[in-house]
Amino acid sequence: MWMNQAPIVGCVYYFLLIISYCKVNGQQAPAYSTEKWGNATHRTNVCERQRMVLNGTLSIDDALAGLELSTITINYRNFFENQYFTLNSDGVIDSESPGLFGGVMDELAERAGFSWRDSFTAVLPPDPKVDINKTWADLLVWGVDKFDVSVEYWMKSSGRMALGVHFPEGYIDSSIVLVGPKVVKKSVFNPWRLFYPFHYTVWILIGVAILYTGFVYWILEKINHRSNRDTKDAISGSIYSASMAFLGHNELTPDSHSARLVTWSWNFWAMLIGASYIANMANVLVAQQVALNNIQGVEDAIDANLPICVLAGTLTDDILTHDFSNAILIRESSEGSIFESLEKNDCAYAAIPLNVWEINERSSKMNVDCKIERKGAAYKIIQSGIALKVDSGEFCSSLISHVL
C-alpha cells in the first residue's frame, strides 16, 4: 500500500519544494487589492509589544520578530524608474531583480525578523490626469496612514513631519540638483564681431574725428604754405594719413609747428583708442565665454528667468515654489517627461533629486548622447528613504519606526 502511495508522496514533496523555492526567490504578488486613496486600513497593532519593550520583557531588537508588516510601494513602469521597484509581466516581484526598494526591505526584514513579501501592495505613481488634485505628499500621508511601512525615496522635510510622518535614517541622497544641456562651443565666423568692442555711436565719432583731423591738418599746412603735396589730392591724402594713424601707422609728416602739434595730439589719441579697443575686445570674448557657463545652480537659473522642469507635487516642487516666488517652473507628471522636455528644449534646466540624476545620467535612452550634465552644487541637501506613521497610541506604529 505504501509502495503505491510513494509516487503521490513524492509529487507532493516536489510540489512543496517548488512553492518554497518561489517564496524564497521572491515570486510574491501584491497581497492587497486596496484601491489607491481607499479607506481600508492594514496597519498592524503592536501596542502589546510596545508595552513589553517598555517594561523590559522584550528587547527592542526582537520587537518585530515574527510579524508580517503591511507595506506599500510604488509600481514603476517606466524603463528607468523600475530600477526602484516594479512587478514583472506576471504581476509578481521579480526573483532576480526585486529593485532597490525590494532589496532594502529584504535586508530590514532579515535583521529585524519580520516579513513583508506576503503583505504588500504596489500602486502607480500619482497621475495628474487620473488622481485629480492629488500630489506625492498626499500619497505619502495616505500610505503611512493605511500601511505599516511606505517604501519609496521619500524626501524628509519639516513640513511632512508636521503631517505625522516619521522618517527613519535615510539611505538615499536626494539632494536637489540642477541639470541641463552641456555647453557646446561653436566657432561661427561673424565679421561684425570686429566692431563689438565699441558702441556704434563711438565708431561714428571716430569716423568724424578722422575726417576732421585730416581736414584741420590740411588747412594748417596750407596756411603755412609749406605743403609739398599736390593741392588736388591734399585733403584726401591728409584724411588717409589720419586714418592710418588711427590704425597705429603714422604717415602724417607735418612741416609747420601747428600741424606737428595736431599730429602729436592725434597720434596720442589714436594710441589710447587702440589700447581701449584691444582691452574691450578681450573683455567681449571673455564675457561671451562666461555667459555660456554662468548657470551653476538653481539660483542662477532662476535669476536668469529660465524655465525649470520639476516633478509636480513633489518636495522639490514645494521647496522651489516656497523659496522663489519668481521661479518659472514647468511641472511634469513623471521623471521621464522631465528629460523629454529637456531634450525638446521645452525647459532650459531641470531640478531633480540627486539619486534620480545618478540613475539616469548614463542611460542612453534618457540622456541621449550624454547631452545633459549636472550644473554646480546641490541647492539643498536632503536624505530620503522609507516612511512610517507617527503613532504611539492607536496602533503604536512608532515602535516600528524605532526598530527600523
Side-chain angles (χ1 to χ4, degrees):
M1 179 177 178
W2 287 105
M3 294 295 293
N4 295 332
Q5 291 180 347
I8 299 176
V9 173
C11 290
V12 172
Y13 174 74
Y14 284 111
F15 177 72
L16 292 176
L17 281 181
I18 292 173
I19 293 178
S20 175
Y21 175 83
C22 292
K23 290 290 186 180
V24 170
N25 285 275
Q27 299 294 334
Q28 291 90 342
Y32 305 112
S33 58
T34 303
E35 182 181 355
K36 189 164 58 172
W37 317 118
N39 295 320
T41 300
H42 305 285
R43 284 165 58 198
T44 304
N45 193 318
V46 293
C47 290
E48 179 60 31
R49 296 202 176 203
Q50 178 174 273
R51 284 190 288 270
M52 295 174 65
V53 170
L54 292 176
N55 62 30
T57 59
L58 179 65
S59 169
I60 193 170
D61 293 339
D62 300 322
L64 302 182
L67 292 180
E68 192 171 74
L69 299 184
S70 62
T71 304
I72 182 173
T73 187
I74 306 298
N75 183 21
Y76 288 105
R77 294 182 176 178
N78 292 326
F79 64 89
F80 48 87
E81 292 173 318
N82 59 22
Q83 299 178 65
Y84 299 125
F85 185 85
T86 188
L87 301 176
N88 62 22
S89 58
D90 296 325
V92 299
I93 300 176
D94 193 286
S95 60
E96 297 181 356
S97 179
L100 174 62
F101 299 154
V104 169
M105 285 302 295
D106 285 342
E107 182 67 23
L108 290 175
E110 182 179 352
R111 294 188 181 190
F114 66 87
S115 61
W116 70 278
R117 283 177 172 257
D118 293 315
S119 56
F120 81 96
T121 189
V123 298
L124 296 176
D127 186 344
K129 297 179 181 179
V130 178
D131 306 306
I132 308 300
N133 297 325
K134 295 292 187 179
T135 66
W136 281 89
D138 295 324
L139 182 60
L140 167 62
V141 174
W142 173 81
V144 299
D145 189 56
K146 305 303 179 184
F147 297 86
D148 294 323
V149 184
S150 179
V151 187
E152 165 63 7
Y153 63 93
W154 294 116
M155 299 166 69
K156 182 179 181 179
S157 72
S158 57
R160 290 179 170 182
M161 294 172 66
L163 296 175
V165 181
H166 176 72
F167 299 89
E169 187 69 25
Y171 55 89
I172 296 178
D173 187 352
S174 294
S175 301
I176 300 176
V177 297
L178 189 76
V179 299
K182 289 183 177 180
V183 176
V184 180
K185 299 178 181 179
K186 296 182 178 180
S187 179
V188 179
F189 176 72
N190 183 3
W192 296 104
R193 189 174 297 175
L194 294 172
F195 300 96
Y196 284 179
F198 293 146
H199 193 265
Y200 77 94
T201 55
V202 176
W203 287 113
I204 293 175
L205 292 175
I206 290 175
V208 172
I210 291 174
L211 295 174
Y212 180 75
T213 301
F215 177 74
V216 169
Y217 176 85
W218 177 75
I219 289 293
L220 292 176
E221 287 291 88
K222 284 300 179 182
I223 290 175
N224 289 278
H225 302 288
R226 295 179 181 176
S227 176
N228 295 321
R229 303 171 188 257
D230 188 351
T231 305
K232 179 179 178 181
D233 299 325
I235 296 180
S236 60
S238 296
I239 293 175
Y240 169 78
S241 298
S243 65
M244 292 302 294
F246 171 75
L247 297 176
H249 182 69
N250 180 43
E251 291 190 356
L252 295 173
T253 56
D255 294 323
S256 63
H257 294 298
S258 56
R260 288 171 181 163
L261 179 60
V262 170
T263 300
W264 185 91
S265 302
W266 174 248
N267 278 276
F268 182 75
W269 178 86
M271 178 191 68
L272 296 179
I273 292 296
S276 299
Y277 178 87
I278 294 174
N280 286 353
M281 175 60 81
N283 184 62
V284 166
L285 297 177
V286 172
Q288 287 178 342
Q289 185 63 32
V290 171
L292 293 174
N293 297 279
N294 64 351
I295 304 299
Q296 293 298 319
V298 171
E299 289 137 314
D300 290 339
I302 292 176
D303 290 341
N305 294 320
L306 296 172
I308 302 175
C309 279
V310 296
L311 186 58
T314 59
L315 185 60
T316 301
D317 184 4
D318 295 340
I319 289 176
L320 296 187
T321 301
H322 176 270
D323 293 354
F324 303 98
S325 58
N326 62 327
I328 304 175
L329 301 180
I330 299 178
R331 295 174 174 84
E332 300 288 353
S333 60
S334 67
E335 294 168 355
S337 59
I338 289 179
F339 288 93
E340 289 175 3
S341 295
L342 283 174
E343 180 71 20
K344 297 176 182 178
N345 294 321
D346 291 338
C347 54
Y349 295 94
I352 57 177
L354 178 59
N355 60 293
V356 174
W357 169 241
E358 290 178 339
I359 286 179
N360 297 290
E361 180 181 6
R362 294 176 177 84
S363 171
S364 59
K365 294 182 179 179
M366 239 250 329
N367 190 3
V368 181
D369 297 329
C370 295
K371 294 179 181 178
I372 302 174
E373 65 180 358
R374 177 178 167 181
K375 303 291 183 178
Y379 170 67
K380 192 175 289 291
I381 305 298
I382 301 175
Q383 293 296 315
S384 65
I386 63 175
L388 304 94
K389 178 78 172 180
V390 175
D391 172 21
S392 300
E394 184 179 5
F395 291 94
C396 304
S397 300
S398 294
L399 174 65
I400 302 175
S401 299
H402 295 322
V403 175
L404 299 183

